[in-house]
């Protein structure tokens, strides 16, 4: 098994040629993402990870909103590079997964284990 893990790491690739088409159904994507978040390790098995899955039009709306927001706070010169990066990478895919931690769960851990409270922040 150790060799398989090393081979997987050695031969892993980052894919930059994203497409706004998906070879699998939205339902299959949801199942894969839900399975992954359910089985990812968490501190004290707290299962504090949450996510928002945006596919298709909702994915595109998110990146359009992101550009609108950034345009207000980034200089015009810098924004053109930022917009190009978003358009050619993040927004060019089919979906976006936004991960976050459930703060209620984290606060529960902090309250239950005050010695470690600052480590959960």
């Amino acid at each position: 098994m150790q060799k398989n893990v090393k081979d997987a790491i050695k031969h892993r690739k980052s894919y930059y040629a994203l497409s706004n088409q998906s070879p699998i159904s939205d339902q299959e994507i949801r199942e894969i993402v839900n399975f992954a978040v359910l089985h990812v390790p968490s501190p004290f098995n707290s299962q504090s990870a949450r996510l928002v899955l945006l596919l298709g039009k909702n994915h595109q709306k998110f990146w359009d909103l992101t550009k609108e927001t950034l345009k207000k706070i980034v200089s015009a010169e810098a924004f053109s590079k930022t917009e190009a990066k978003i358009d050619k990478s993040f927004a060019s895919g089919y979906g976006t997964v936004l991960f976050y931690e459930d703060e209620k769960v984290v606060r529960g851990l902090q309250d239950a284990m005050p010695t470690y409270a600052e480590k959960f922040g």
Side-chain angles (χ1 to χ4, degrees):
M1 179 166 174
Q2 187 177 28
K3 183 174 170 98
N4 291 337
V5 171
K6 288 180 180 178
D7 284 343
I9 293 168
K10 182 178 178 182
H11 298 291
R12 72 113 187 118
K13 295 183 185 227
S14 295
Y15 294 92
Y16 296 103
L18 300 176
S19 169
N20 63 359
Q21 302 294 311
S22 176
I24 63 175
S25 72
D26 290 1
Q27 183 58 35
E28 288 174 290
I29 295 170
R30 282 186 205 94
E31 289 173 9
I32 291 166
V33 170
N34 286 333
F35 181 86
V37 78
L38 180 64
H39 292 89
V40 69
S42 60
F44 300 96
N45 199 29
S46 62
Q47 300 297 315
S48 58
R50 301 292 184 264
L51 62 86
V52 176
L53 176 62
L54 303 171
L55 300 173
K57 291 179 183 178
N58 289 323
H59 158 79
Q60 193 57 52
K61 286 180 189 178
F62 172 78
W63 289 107
D64 290 343
L65 179 61
T66 300
K67 288 190 297 184
E68 286 176 31
T69 302
L70 289 173
K71 191 171 190 172
K72 295 174 187 174
I73 61 173
V74 175
S75 71
E77 179 182 302
F79 180 73
S80 64
K81 291 179 184 177
T82 299
E83 183 176 37
K85 172 91 173 173
I86 290 170
D87 289 344
K88 292 179 182 175
S89 58
F90 308 123
S92 64
Y94 181 74
T96 297
V97 181
L98 305 169
F99 287 92
Y100 65 97
E101 293 294 313
D102 185 332
E103 291 183 19
K104 184 177 178 182
V105 174
V106 174
R107 280 193 299 276
L109 290 170
Q110 290 171 326
D111 292 344
M113 295 173 257
T115 306
Y116 300 104
E118 67 183 39
K119 303 294 184 192
F120 292 114

